[in-house]
């Protein structure tokens, strides 16, 4: 597939996906969803790729869903097409991916970033769910994921007032794992992705599944699930290699088997 709204590059074992609609501040039109879904599927299916970084421009990760595309839609259009439901496909990516956010991550931009396994922010990053100012509410999971990430009081305040949150507050609130100077964002995100890419790929998928299970299961169910997945990894060559490499004081050479 040829992409018009995103750029996809393979850098070693890391796929770098960049939103590429600069004139619209990377607004998430339906075409972006189609292309991003295709790029993420291709990443998941490619054994040579072990981590993915999703980023935008200096000014905007993405300034939200495309308001111009949405404005004329009726209830029947939205309900009939189950508008935005397709974005959940991105969350079905089995392999790890990171959102690297500089500038605006508003509305759908914030929501897509929150779909990532972890978020790294530039000191210029601005997060927000301003949909209420447009007469709507978050529609790509913001009311759920923001609340899970930063707690009810702050999420409710942001969603009800439409106020934005800067990078330092996003860090102290637990929305992002770290904040770096804007000029170092991509280098830092790639460094993190390269570290993840060196890990045993099956363990990385299993780790994602276990952490994500904490959102869906009770504590007892989640701990049991974790233990079963942990046991299961003893059936992989990479567990044998990882533990042998430790004893032999060398770096593991992981095959994803
Ligand atoms: N949709 C469509 N176009 C957008 C857009 C969006 N979400 N955000 C920005 N643009 C366009 C602008 O219309 C403008 O295009 P024109 O030059 O053709 O007019 C261009 O991008 C540049 O934007 P601005 O001139 O507004 O740039 P600025 O620097 O003055 O302001 C901004 C930047 C504060 C981010 C401002 O653009 C803004 O408020 N954008 C909308 C943010 C928003 O409300 N997002 C939520 C959308 S709804 C949603 O996402 C629903 C959901 O839950 C999924």
């Amino acid at each position: 597939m040829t992409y018009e709204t995103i750029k996809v590059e393979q850098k070693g074992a890391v796929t770098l996906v960049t939103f590429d609609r600069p004139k619209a501040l990377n607004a998430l039109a339906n075409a972006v969803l189609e292309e991003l879904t295709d790029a993420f599927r291709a990443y998941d299916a490619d054994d040579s790729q072990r981590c993915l970084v999703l980023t935008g421009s200096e000014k905007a990760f993405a300034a939200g869903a495309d308001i111009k595309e949405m404005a004329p839609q009726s209830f029947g259009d939205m309900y009939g097409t189950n508008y935005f439901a397709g974005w959940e496909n991105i969350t079905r990516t089995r392999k790890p991916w990171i959102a690297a956010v500089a500038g605006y991550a508003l509305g759908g931009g914030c929501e897509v970033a929150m779909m990532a396994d972890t978020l790294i922010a530039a000191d210029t990053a601005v997060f927000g769910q301003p949909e209420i100012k447009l007469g709507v509410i978050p529609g790509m999971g913001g009311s759920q994921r923001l609340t899970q990430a930063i707690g009810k009081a702050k999420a409710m305040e942001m969603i009800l007032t439409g106020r934005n949150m800067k990078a330092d507050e996003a860090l102290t609130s637990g929305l992002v794992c770290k904040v770096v100077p804007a000029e170092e964002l991509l280098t830092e995100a790639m460094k993190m992705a390269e570290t993840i890419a060196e890990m045993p790929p099956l363990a990385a998928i299993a780790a994602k599944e276990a952490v994500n299970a904490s959102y869906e299961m009770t504590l007892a169910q989640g701990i049991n699930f974790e233990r079963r997945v942990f046991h299961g990894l003893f059936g992989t060559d990479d567990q044998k290699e990882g533990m042998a490499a430790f004893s032999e004081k060398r770096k593991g050479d992981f095959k994803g088997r």
Side-chain angles (χ1 to χ4, degrees):
M1 185 168 181
T2 318
Y3 301 125
E4 288 176 3
T5 67
I6 58 172
K7 269 194 300 203
V8 180
E9 300 158 83
Q10 288 191 349
K11 295 179 179 286
V14 178
T15 300
L16 175 63
V17 180
T18 310
F19 288 125
D20 192 21
R21 293 189 75 207
K23 286 189 185 139
L25 300 186
N26 296 327
L28 303 170
N30 287 322
V32 182
L33 170 60
E34 270 174 42
E35 294 187 1
L36 205 63
T37 305
D38 188 78
F40 272 65
R41 275 202 197 118
Y43 159 63
D44 235 5
D46 185 341
D47 285 344
S48 75
Q49 297 301 289
R50 294 188 176 182
C51 195
L52 179 150
V53 173
L54 177 65
T55 196
S57 67
E58 258 175 54
K59 182 163 181 188
F61 177 77
D66 194 313
I67 299 169
K68 292 165 191 167
E69 209 170 67
M70 278 187 296
Q73 309 274 344
S74 66
F75 167 75
D77 297 330
M78 299 304 258
Y79 189 61
T81 58
N82 205 5
Y83 208 81
F84 287 157
W87 285 98
E88 282 306 301
N89 290 330
I90 306 296
T91 68
R92 294 193 188 101
T93 307
R94 297 185 74 212
K95 293 197 280 192
W97 66 282
I98 300 167
V101 178
Y104 296 110
L106 301 179
C110 185
E111 291 169 296
V112 170
M114 291 191 295
M115 290 175 193
D117 298 316
T118 191
L119 289 81
I120 172 166
D123 49 11
T124 56
V126 175
F127 297 90
Q129 299 288 165
E131 290 88 346
I132 196 157
K133 296 181 190 170
L134 301 168
V136 291
I137 66 167
M140 289 184 200
S143 63
Q144 308 303 298
R145 292 196 178 93
L146 188 65
T147 308
Q148 284 176 341
I150 68 173
K152 176 180 164 183
K154 206 178 261 279
M156 194 70 95
E157 182 238 339
M158 287 180 69
I159 290 168
L160 285 175
T161 65
R163 110 166 146 88
N164 294 336
M165 179 192 261
K166 291 191 179 154
D168 52 352
E169 190 184 355
L171 181 64
T172 53
S173 304
L175 183 60
V176 305
C177 71
K178 72 191 203 178
V179 176
V180 298
E183 57 279 10
E184 291 167 23
L185 177 68
L186 207 52
T187 311
E188 287 294 322
M190 289 301 290
K191 220 190 283 175
M192 194 190 296
E194 279 154 15
T195 302
I196 294 170
E198 284 177 5
M199 298 298 148
L202 296 180
I205 292 173
K208 259 190 82 157
E209 285 185 15
V211 173
N212 286 332
S214 71
Y215 288 107
E216 312 289 345
M217 294 181 181
T218 65
L219 182 62
Q221 287 169 331
I223 287 171
N224 195 47
F225 177 76
E226 177 198 78
R227 196 178 304 117
R228 293 291 170 247
V229 174
F230 171 76
H231 293 162
L233 288 167
F234 282 74
T236 66
D237 292 350
D238 284 348
Q239 173 269 327
K240 299 288 172 283
E241 166 63 8
M243 294 193 181
F246 173 78
S247 301
E248 293 157 18
K249 301 190 187 305
R250 60 175 174 82
K251 210 170 167 185
D253 177 19
F254 300 114
K255 306 284 189 216
R257 291 195 293 268

